[in-house]
Amino acid sequence: QRCGSGAVDGSTASPCRINRTFTGASIAQSHRDGKGPLYSPAVPADAADDASSTQGRILSAALEVLDRKGPAHVGIRAIAERAKVSVGLVHHYFTSKDGLLEACVRKLYEALLEVEAEERAGLTEGELGEALAHATRRGYRIACQNRVLVRVVMRIVAERGGLPKTLRGTVQDRFFDGWSRIVSERTQRPMWEVRAQIHTVSSMTGRYAAASKAELASILGEPDLEEEELRRRIEEHLGWLASQVADAPR
Protein backbone atom coordinates (compact mmCIF):
# COMPACT_ATOMS: atom_id res chain seq x y z
CA GLN A 1 0.00 0.00 0.00
CA ARG A 2 1.43 3.37 -0.98
CA CYS A 3 1.83 6.03 1.65
CA GLY A 4 1.23 9.76 1.66
CA SER A 5 3.96 12.27 1.24
CA GLY A 6 4.25 13.46 4.86
CA ALA A 7 6.92 15.82 6.11
CA VAL A 8 10.32 15.43 4.52
CA ASP A 9 12.35 16.83 7.39
CA GLY A 10 11.28 14.24 9.91
CA SER A 11 9.45 16.83 12.04
CA THR A 12 6.04 15.23 11.59
CA ALA A 13 5.44 11.52 11.79
CA SER A 14 3.71 10.03 8.81
CA PRO A 15 2.71 6.49 7.81
CA CYS A 16 5.37 6.44 5.11
CA ARG A 17 8.31 7.79 7.05
CA ILE A 18 11.16 5.37 6.54
CA ASN A 19 14.17 6.63 8.44
CA ARG A 20 16.61 4.04 7.18
CA THR A 21 19.69 5.33 8.95
CA PHE A 22 22.00 2.39 9.37
CA THR A 23 22.60 0.91 12.78
CA GLY A 24 25.23 -1.30 14.21
CA ALA A 25 22.70 -4.11 14.48
CA SER A 26 21.89 -4.03 10.77
CA ILE A 27 25.57 -4.03 9.87
CA ALA A 28 26.31 -6.91 12.22
CA GLN A 29 23.49 -8.89 10.65
CA SER A 30 24.86 -8.15 7.17
CA HIS A 31 28.23 -9.44 8.25
CA ARG A 32 26.73 -12.60 9.73
CA ASP A 33 24.80 -13.17 6.49
CA GLY A 34 27.90 -12.61 4.40
CA LYS A 35 26.35 -9.59 2.65
CA GLY A 36 28.42 -6.76 4.08
CA PRO A 37 31.85 -5.45 3.10
CA LEU A 38 33.29 -8.05 5.47
CA TYR A 39 32.12 -11.55 6.28
CA SER A 40 32.18 -12.90 9.79
CA PRO A 41 30.91 -16.29 10.96
CA ALA A 42 27.93 -16.45 13.27
CA VAL A 43 28.64 -15.30 16.82
CA PRO A 44 26.70 -15.60 20.08
CA ALA A 45 23.85 -13.09 20.47
CA ASP A 46 25.43 -11.17 23.38
CA ALA A 47 28.71 -10.83 21.52
CA ALA A 48 26.86 -9.78 18.37
CA ASP A 49 25.01 -7.06 20.30
CA ASP A 50 28.28 -5.71 21.69
CA ALA A 51 29.89 -5.86 18.27
CA SER A 52 26.94 -4.14 16.58
CA SER A 53 27.00 -1.34 19.16
CA THR A 54 30.72 -0.80 18.59
CA GLN A 55 30.35 -0.89 14.80
CA GLY A 56 27.49 1.59 14.95
CA ARG A 57 29.57 3.94 17.09
CA ILE A 58 32.50 3.68 14.66
CA LEU A 59 30.29 4.41 11.66
CA SER A 60 28.58 7.34 13.35
CA ALA A 61 31.98 8.80 14.21
CA ALA A 62 33.19 8.17 10.66
CA LEU A 63 30.25 10.05 9.16
CA GLU A 64 30.79 13.01 11.45
CA VAL A 65 34.50 13.28 10.64
CA LEU A 66 34.09 12.51 6.93
CA ASP A 67 31.35 15.11 6.57
CA ARG A 68 33.54 17.77 8.18
CA LYS A 69 36.86 17.05 6.46
CA GLY A 70 36.13 14.89 3.40
CA PRO A 71 37.31 11.31 2.74
CA ALA A 72 40.66 12.37 1.28
CA HIS A 73 41.65 14.16 4.48
CA VAL A 74 40.54 11.61 7.07
CA GLY A 75 42.45 8.60 8.31
CA ILE A 76 41.48 5.64 10.45
CA ARG A 77 43.16 7.18 13.49
CA ALA A 78 40.94 10.27 13.46
CA ILE A 79 37.83 8.10 13.19
CA ALA A 80 39.02 5.83 16.01
CA GLU A 81 39.71 8.81 18.26
CA ARG A 82 36.25 10.24 17.60
CA ALA A 83 34.62 6.86 18.29
CA LYS A 84 36.80 6.37 21.39
CA VAL A 85 38.06 2.99 20.21
CA SER A 86 41.45 1.69 19.20
CA VAL A 87 42.75 1.84 15.63
CA GLY A 88 43.05 -1.94 15.75
CA LEU A 89 39.34 -2.30 16.49
CA VAL A 90 38.40 -0.20 13.46
CA HIS A 91 40.62 -2.41 11.30
CA HIS A 92 39.10 -5.49 12.89
CA TYR A 93 35.57 -4.56 11.83
CA PHE A 94 36.23 -2.76 8.53
CA THR A 95 39.75 -3.84 7.45
CA SER A 96 40.67 -0.38 6.09
CA LYS A 97 39.38 3.11 5.42
CA ASP A 98 38.08 1.90 2.07
CA GLY A 99 36.13 -0.82 3.87
CA LEU A 100 34.61 1.80 6.13
CA LEU A 101 33.69 4.05 3.20
CA GLU A 102 32.18 1.07 1.41
CA ALA A 103 30.00 0.32 4.44
CA CYS A 104 28.67 3.89 4.37
CA VAL A 105 27.83 3.77 0.65
CA ARG A 106 26.33 0.31 0.84
CA LYS A 107 23.89 1.18 3.62
CA LEU A 108 22.53 4.18 1.72
CA TYR A 109 22.01 2.19 -1.47
CA GLU A 110 20.47 -0.73 0.42
CA ALA A 111 17.81 1.58 1.87
CA LEU A 112 17.06 3.02 -1.58
CA LEU A 113 17.05 -0.42 -3.22
CA GLU A 114 14.46 -1.60 -0.72
CA VAL A 115 12.17 1.28 -1.66
CA GLU A 116 12.77 0.67 -5.37
CA ALA A 117 11.86 -3.01 -5.01
CA GLU A 118 8.68 -2.17 -3.12
CA GLU A 119 7.59 0.34 -5.75
CA ARG A 120 8.34 -1.95 -8.69
CA ALA A 121 6.51 -4.84 -7.01
CA GLY A 122 3.31 -2.76 -6.95
CA LEU A 123 3.65 -1.48 -10.50
CA THR A 124 0.77 -2.13 -12.89
CA GLU A 125 0.34 -1.42 -16.57
CA GLY A 126 -0.24 2.24 -17.42
CA GLU A 127 1.08 3.91 -14.28
CA LEU A 128 4.81 3.97 -15.00
CA GLY A 129 5.24 7.74 -14.72
CA GLU A 130 3.28 7.88 -11.48
CA ALA A 131 5.28 4.99 -10.03
CA LEU A 132 8.60 6.63 -10.92
CA ALA A 133 7.44 9.88 -9.35
CA HIS A 134 6.28 8.14 -6.18
CA ALA A 135 9.51 6.15 -5.83
CA THR A 136 11.59 9.31 -6.32
CA ARG A 137 9.65 11.22 -3.68
CA ARG A 138 10.14 8.38 -1.21
CA GLY A 139 13.84 8.22 -2.05
CA TYR A 140 14.13 11.96 -1.49
CA ARG A 141 12.56 11.69 1.95
CA ILE A 142 15.00 8.93 2.90
CA ALA A 143 17.89 11.05 1.63
CA CYS A 144 16.68 14.06 3.64
CA GLN A 145 16.48 11.98 6.80
CA ASN A 146 20.04 10.73 6.20
CA ARG A 147 21.53 13.98 4.96
CA VAL A 148 25.00 13.54 6.46
CA LEU A 149 25.32 10.10 4.88
CA VAL A 150 24.26 11.52 1.50
CA ARG A 151 26.86 14.29 1.74
CA VAL A 152 29.59 11.79 2.58
CA VAL A 153 28.66 9.59 -0.40
CA MET A 154 28.66 12.65 -2.67
CA ARG A 155 32.12 13.65 -1.44
CA ILE A 156 33.45 10.14 -2.08
CA VAL A 157 32.19 10.37 -5.67
CA ALA A 158 33.56 13.90 -6.11
CA GLU A 159 37.01 13.03 -4.79
CA ARG A 160 37.39 9.65 -6.50
CA GLY A 161 35.40 10.19 -9.68
CA GLY A 162 32.85 7.52 -8.79
CA LEU A 163 31.86 4.85 -6.33
CA PRO A 164 34.40 2.21 -5.30
CA LYS A 165 34.74 -0.46 -7.99
CA THR A 166 33.42 -3.16 -5.67
CA LEU A 167 30.11 -1.28 -5.42
CA ARG A 168 29.62 -0.18 -9.02
CA GLY A 169 28.77 -3.67 -10.20
CA THR A 170 26.58 -4.50 -7.21
CA VAL A 171 24.52 -1.80 -5.53
CA GLN A 172 24.81 0.92 -8.19
CA ASP A 173 23.95 -1.31 -11.16
CA ARG A 174 21.12 -2.93 -9.22
CA PHE A 175 19.74 0.49 -8.36
CA PHE A 176 19.68 1.76 -11.95
CA ASP A 177 18.94 -1.47 -13.83
CA GLY A 178 15.52 -2.23 -12.36
CA TRP A 179 13.65 0.88 -13.47
CA SER A 180 15.77 1.36 -16.58
CA ARG A 181 14.87 -2.06 -17.94
CA ILE A 182 11.13 -1.54 -17.35
CA VAL A 183 11.08 1.92 -18.92
CA SER A 184 13.23 0.81 -21.87
CA GLU A 185 10.94 -2.13 -22.61
CA ARG A 186 7.74 -0.11 -22.38
CA THR A 187 8.89 2.93 -24.32
CA GLN A 188 11.19 1.16 -26.79
CA ARG A 189 14.00 3.55 -25.96
CA PRO A 190 17.63 2.44 -25.66
CA MET A 191 18.71 1.30 -22.22
CA TRP A 192 21.62 3.76 -22.03
CA GLU A 193 19.32 6.71 -22.61
CA VAL A 194 16.90 5.67 -19.88
CA ARG A 195 19.74 4.94 -17.44
CA ALA A 196 21.21 8.39 -18.07
CA GLN A 197 17.87 10.06 -17.36
CA ILE A 198 17.30 8.07 -14.18
CA HIS A 199 20.84 8.83 -13.08
CA THR A 200 20.13 12.54 -13.60
CA VAL A 201 17.03 12.33 -11.39
CA SER A 202 18.97 10.36 -8.77
CA SER A 203 21.85 12.84 -8.76
CA MET A 204 19.53 15.82 -8.37
CA THR A 205 17.66 14.02 -5.58
CA GLY A 206 20.88 13.64 -3.62
CA ARG A 207 21.96 17.19 -4.40
CA TYR A 208 18.72 18.70 -3.12
CA ALA A 209 18.66 16.44 -0.06
CA ALA A 210 22.18 17.52 0.90
CA ALA A 211 21.35 21.23 0.54
CA SER A 212 20.80 23.49 3.54
CA LYS A 213 17.63 25.49 4.12
CA ALA A 214 19.43 28.67 3.02
CA GLU A 215 20.55 27.10 -0.26
CA LEU A 216 17.08 25.73 -1.02
CA ALA A 217 15.58 29.15 -0.34
CA SER A 218 18.11 30.67 -2.74
CA ILE A 219 17.42 28.04 -5.41
CA LEU A 220 13.66 28.59 -5.25
CA GLY A 221 13.89 32.35 -4.71
CA GLU A 222 11.73 32.01 -1.56
CA PRO A 223 13.75 33.34 1.40
CA ASP A 224 10.76 33.55 3.75
CA LEU A 225 9.55 29.95 3.48
CA GLU A 226 10.05 27.41 6.24
CA GLU A 227 12.36 24.48 5.50
CA GLU A 228 9.51 21.96 5.49
CA GLU A 229 7.71 23.87 2.73
CA LEU A 230 10.92 24.36 0.75
CA ARG A 231 11.59 20.62 0.83
CA ARG A 232 7.99 19.82 -0.02
CA ARG A 233 8.24 21.93 -3.18
CA ILE A 234 11.54 20.31 -4.12
CA GLU A 235 9.97 16.89 -3.56
CA GLU A 236 7.11 17.73 -5.90
CA HIS A 237 9.54 18.99 -8.53
CA LEU A 238 11.62 15.82 -8.34
CA GLY A 239 8.49 13.71 -8.68
CA TRP A 240 7.51 15.59 -11.81
CA LEU A 241 11.04 15.26 -13.22
CA ALA A 242 11.01 11.50 -12.62
CA SER A 243 7.61 11.11 -14.30
CA GLN A 244 9.04 12.58 -17.50
CA VAL A 245 11.40 9.63 -17.84
CA ALA A 246 8.36 7.49 -18.69
CA ASP A 247 7.45 9.63 -21.73
CA ALA A 248 6.81 7.92 -25.07
CA PRO A 249 9.70 7.59 -27.54
CA ARG A 250 10.86 10.85 -29.06
Side-chain angles (χ1 to χ4, degrees):
Q1 179 180 359
R2 287 186 174 167
C3 51
S5 60
V8 298
D9 63 349
S11 61
T12 303
S14 72
C16 64
R17 183 176 178 203
I18 308 174
N19 189 359
R20 302 186 191 279
T21 46
F22 55 80
T23 63
S26 65
I27 294 164
Q29 184 61 52
S30 292
H31 289 174
R32 291 196 296 275
D33 293 342
K35 297 177 182 177
L38 297 177
Y39 172 73
S40 301
V43 293
D46 290 345
D49 288 343
D50 289 343
S52 68
S53 175
T54 302
Q55 290 164 10
R57 191 165 74 252
I58 292 170
L59 282 166
S60 294
L63 284 178
E64 183 178 340
V65 178
L66 290 166
D67 185 41
R68 188 170 65 248
K69 297 184 177 180
H73 304 289
V74 174
I76 290 291
R77 184 171 300 279
I79 294 170
E81 290 175 355
R82 185 62 186 169
K84 295 181 171 57
V85 299
S86 68
V87 171
L89 198 58
V90 179
H91 281 289
H92 171 71
Y93 287 125
F94 300 101
T95 304
S96 64
K97 186 174 83 170
D98 282 349
L100 194 52
L101 295 177
E102 182 176 320
C104 294
V105 176
R106 188 178 295 277
K107 296 314 294 183
L108 177 61
Y109 269 90
E110 284 177 353
L112 296 173
L113 280 165
E114 187 173 342
V115 168
E116 181 196 39
E118 290 172 0
E119 292 290 335
R120 285 193 287 113
L123 180 63
T124 59
E125 193 70 32
E127 63 171 10
L128 185 56
E130 179 187 345
L132 280 166
H134 193 271
T136 298
R137 289 195 296 266
R138 286 185 66 188
Y140 176 65
R141 291 195 292 274
I142 290 174
C144 286
Q145 292 163 0
N146 297 277
R147 204 170 305 161
V148 172
L149 179 54
V150 171
R151 286 200 298 260
V152 168
V153 172
M154 291 174 69
R155 291 189 75 161
I156 292 172
V157 172
E159 291 181 0
R160 300 189 174 198
L163 292 179
K165 184 178 180 180
T166 52
L167 296 176
R168 286 200 300 271
T170 54
V171 294
Q172 183 172 257
D173 282 350
R174 284 172 55 207
F175 181 74
F176 290 119
D177 278 354
W179 282 112
S180 299
R181 186 170 293 107
I182 292 172
V183 175
S184 178
E185 290 173 355
R186 292 199 184 182
T187 64
Q188 297 301 299
R189 286 155 52 204
M191 187 78 160
W192 71 262
E193 179 182 287
V194 177
R195 277 181 66 105
Q197 291 177 339
I198 290 178
H199 188 276
T200 297
V201 174
S202 175
S203 297
M204 292 308 302
T205 298
R207 178 67 181 84
Y208 282 131
S212 66
K213 175 189 174 183
E215 185 175 11
L216 292 178
S218 176
I219 290 170
L220 298 183
E222 295 282 4
D224 298 325
L225 289 181
E226 295 296 323
E227 183 172 3
E228 181 177 342
E229 178 59 18
L230 290 167
R231 293 197 180 277
R232 187 195 67 78
R233 294 187 182 188
I234 290 294
E235 182 182 321
E236 288 302 311
H237 168 67
L238 288 169
W240 171 83
L241 188 63
S243 71
Q244 304 308 296
V245 177
D247 277 352
R250 291 195 299 269

